[in-house]
Amino acid sequence: MKLMYIDCSMGAAGDMLTAALLELLDEDARAAFIEEFNGLGLPGIVMETEPSVKCGVEGTHVHIKFHDEEEDEHMHDHHSHDGHVHSHRGIAGVRHIVEDHLDIPDNVREDILSVYDIIADAESKAHGVPVTEVHFHEIGTMDAIADVTAVCMLIDRIKPQKIAASHVNVGGGTVKCAHGILPVPAPATANILEGIPSYSGDIKSELCTPTGAALLKHFVNEFGDMPQMSSEKNGFGMGTKDFERANCVKITLGEGD
C-alpha cells in the first residue's frame, strides 16, 4: 500500500508540513498546485516557496503571505505596519470562509473543518469557555487557515493509504502568545496531543504548534518508529528558526504494510 511516514523529531507546524508534502510532488505538479492554491479564493493569501538549507540539509520553505505580510503562528502584533488588523475568528467565522469561499472537493472541506474542530475543542478546554465562544487568535488568521487548507489539499492530492508518524518533539521552555507567556507545549497544544506519544528534548523553543498537532491528530493512523517500507521519495519542510539540529519536518513516501 502507499505509505507515508512523518518524522516529527523537530516537531510539526502547518507551513513545514506543507513544504514537505510539496516536495513529494514533481516540479510541474508542484507549480500547478501552487497556482491552483493561489486561485482558491482565500482573501489576500498568496503562497510562495524558496529553497532553504538547515545544517547542510536542503529542503523547501513555504511563505504564506496575507496582504503581502508574512506572519508566523505565534506572532502577536496583530496590527501590521500598514495598519491592517489581523482579526481573531471563532469557529463560525472559519466555517464561513471554508464553506463559502473555497472551491475545493467536499472531502477536503470536511478535513479542514475537522482539523479546526480539534483545535476548537482544545482551546475550549484550555480556557474554560464553550466551543462557540472560542476565538482562535493566531491560528484563526487567514494565513493559518491557508496552512491547514494546503495540507488537506496535498494529502488529498497524494492519497496515501496509510499515514504513520514518529513520536512528537514538542520542544521546551516557554512561548509568548495572546494570553501571555506559557510553558511549552502551550495548553491547547497539550490538549490536542493527549493520546499521542510526545516528548520534550533539549531545544528550548516551541517545536509543535497547535496547527501542526491538530493536523497530525486528524491524519496520522499510528505513531512510532518508521515502519518497514520501500522509500520512493522524501520531502523536507524547513522551519524559520535555526538550531544545532536541522529544523525540518521530513516526510517519506513509499510502499509498505
Side-chain angles (χ1 to χ4, degrees):
M1 71 169 68
K2 186 185 286 190
L3 176 62
M4 179 181 288
Y5 184 73
I6 306 173
D7 183 337
C8 305
S9 58
M10 286 298 286
D15 60 338
M16 295 167 73
L17 289 166
T18 298
L21 289 166
L22 273 173
E23 285 215 331
L24 299 178
L25 304 179
D26 63 38
E27 189 172 340
D28 290 342
R30 192 183 310 182
F33 177 86
I34 294 171
E35 182 178 359
E36 177 186 344
F37 180 85
N38 287 336
L40 274 183
L42 280 166
I45 286 292
V46 175
M47 176 190 289
E48 298 175 353
T49 65
E50 65 176 357
S52 176
V53 177
K54 300 288 185 183
C55 298
V57 178
E58 184 172 5
T60 295
H61 179 68
V62 165
H63 299 273
I64 298 290
K65 294 185 176 180
F66 181 44
H67 295 298
D68 295 324
E69 180 184 10
E70 188 170 12
E71 177 183 64
D72 69 34
E73 190 170 309
H74 285 295
M75 186 182 294
H76 302 283
D77 179 5
H78 296 285
H79 295 265
S80 70
H81 297 298
D82 62 4
H84 177 77
V85 177
H86 293 265
S87 59
H88 296 173
R89 292 179 175 84
I91 190 66
V94 172
R95 284 189 174 276
H96 171 71
I97 292 168
V98 175
E99 292 176 347
D100 298 341
H101 286 273
L102 304 187
D103 183 15
I104 51 177
D106 287 342
N107 63 301
V108 176
R109 197 184 320 276
E110 290 168 5
D111 282 333
I112 297 167
L113 294 175
S114 293
V115 170
Y116 264 95
D117 283 340
I118 291 170
I119 298 170
D121 288 342
E123 293 280 1
S124 171
K125 182 178 178 181
H127 303 300
V129 298
V131 169
T132 53
E133 295 180 18
V134 166
H135 288 271
F136 289 120
H137 300 285
E138 296 75 27
I139 53 180
T141 53
M142 287 301 304
D143 51 333
I145 296 173
D147 283 338
V148 173
T149 300
V151 171
C152 292
M153 289 177 64
L154 285 163
I155 292 290
D156 181 64
R157 188 69 51 93
I158 297 167
K159 289 182 168 51
Q161 294 167 280
K162 181 180 179 181
I163 301 178
S166 70
H167 297 180
V168 182
N169 187 353
V170 298
T174 60
V175 60
K176 183 180 179 182
C177 61
H179 299 283
I181 297 175
L182 301 174
V184 171
T189 305
N191 289 338
I192 293 169
L193 290 173
E194 287 180 357
I196 294 175
S198 57
Y199 63 97
S200 178
D202 56 356
I203 295 175
K204 301 305 180 186
S205 183
E206 181 186 49
L207 299 182
C208 185
T209 66
T211 301
L215 286 162
L216 293 174
K217 187 157 195 168
H218 177 67
F219 282 112
V220 174
N221 303 114
E222 63 181 44
F223 291 86
D225 294 335
M226 184 175 180
Q228 183 174 333
M229 61 186 294
S230 176
S231 172
E232 296 175 357
K233 197 156 189 181
N234 293 290
F236 295 86
M238 301 313 203
T240 55
K241 296 179 181 179
D242 292 308
F243 303 111
E244 291 184 359
R245 295 174 59 189
N247 184 20
C248 67
V249 168
K250 176 188 175 186
I251 300 182
T252 301
L253 187 66
E255 291 292 323
D257 296 327

